[in-house]
Amino acid sequence: MRLALRGAAVLALAVPLAGCFQPLYGTRTLDGGPSLAASLAQIDITQIPAPNGTPQSRIAVDLRNQLVFMLSGGNPAPPTHRLDIRFQTTRVSVIVDVETARPDVENFGIAAYYTLVDLNTGKPVVTDVAQSRVSYDIPGQQQRFARQRALRDAENRAATVIAETIRSRLASYFVAGT
């Protein structure tokens, strides 16, 4: 009997709240306003500044491409906001072989400083920093190109984390207004 009453009480509380659930990345909203996907697609992502011909320029292009795809699916709408991004990279040797003094494990990091600007007012509405640190192994010193490939993979992983972090923060802004 008590179990049935508890179940009925939980059900009585859950029924009114069931209509309030709205998937974050859904195509429709409960109030009929623009969906989050439509709002994110209206963000113009400016070119990320980086010196030409450097690893930073490859990371900048990769980060921007990932954001364009994550925010608009590759089909941007007429912009209402502009996203400006600057970033810095770091590399740190974490484990060093005591006999050869060569690194065995390194960390690669990106710190991306971004600002979302409302094009109607020209004022920044979101200013934040996204950071990512990833580690990578250097599989033996005899493999000359393994370190370069491991570093490139770490750069790609770090850029993906940064893009996902920025997308989540912008989604938070468009849903909650903060």
Side-chain angles (χ1 to χ4, degrees):
M1 181 67 177
R2 278 191 167 180
L3 187 60
L5 287 174
R6 284 185 185 176
V10 168
L11 188 60
L13 288 172
V15 168
L17 295 176
C20 297
F21 175 75
Q22 175 178 325
L24 181 62
Y25 296 105
T27 57
R28 292 189 221 137
T29 61
L30 294 176
D31 61 359
S35 69
L36 177 62
S39 298
L40 291 176
Q42 292 177 320
I43 297 175
D44 177 35
I45 304 163
T46 60
Q47 296 293 328
I48 302 171
N52 288 338
T54 63
Q56 285 79 15
S57 65
R58 190 192 66 75
I59 295 168
V61 169
D62 183 38
L63 177 59
R64 183 177 183 278
N65 288 345
Q66 287 189 43
L67 280 168
V68 166
F69 184 75
M70 285 182 184
L71 297 180
S72 66
N75 299 313
T80 59
H81 292 80
R82 182 184 75 236
L83 183 63
D84 299 320
I85 303 172
R86 297 177 296 107
F87 73 94
Q88 296 174 335
T89 61
T90 58
R91 269 176 55 185
V92 177
S93 295
V94 178
I95 298 176
V96 178
D97 187 341
V98 293
E99 294 177 12
T100 63
R102 293 181 178 169
D104 286 335
V105 176
E106 288 186 335
N107 274 356
F108 177 79
I110 298 176
Y113 307 89
Y114 60 95
T115 303
L116 182 67
V117 178
D118 186 344
L119 294 178
N120 290 332
T121 63
K123 295 183 180 180
V125 292
V126 174
T127 300
D128 208 348
V129 178
Q131 296 183 351
S132 174
R133 304 282 179 264
V134 296
S135 64
Y136 60 98
D137 295 334
I138 302 167
Q141 300 305 322
Q142 300 84 358
Q143 300 177 17
R144 296 182 349 172
F145 300 107
R147 180 179 189 180
Q148 294 301 329
R149 186 66 233 185
L151 174 60
R152 178 173 269 190
D153 289 343
E155 292 168 348
N156 293 343
R157 286 183 289 139
T160 300
V161 170
I162 293 292
E164 290 171 349
T165 302
I166 291 173
R167 180 191 62 184
S168 296
R169 176 63 180 98
L170 296 179
S172 168
Y173 167 74
F174 283 109
V175 169
T178 57

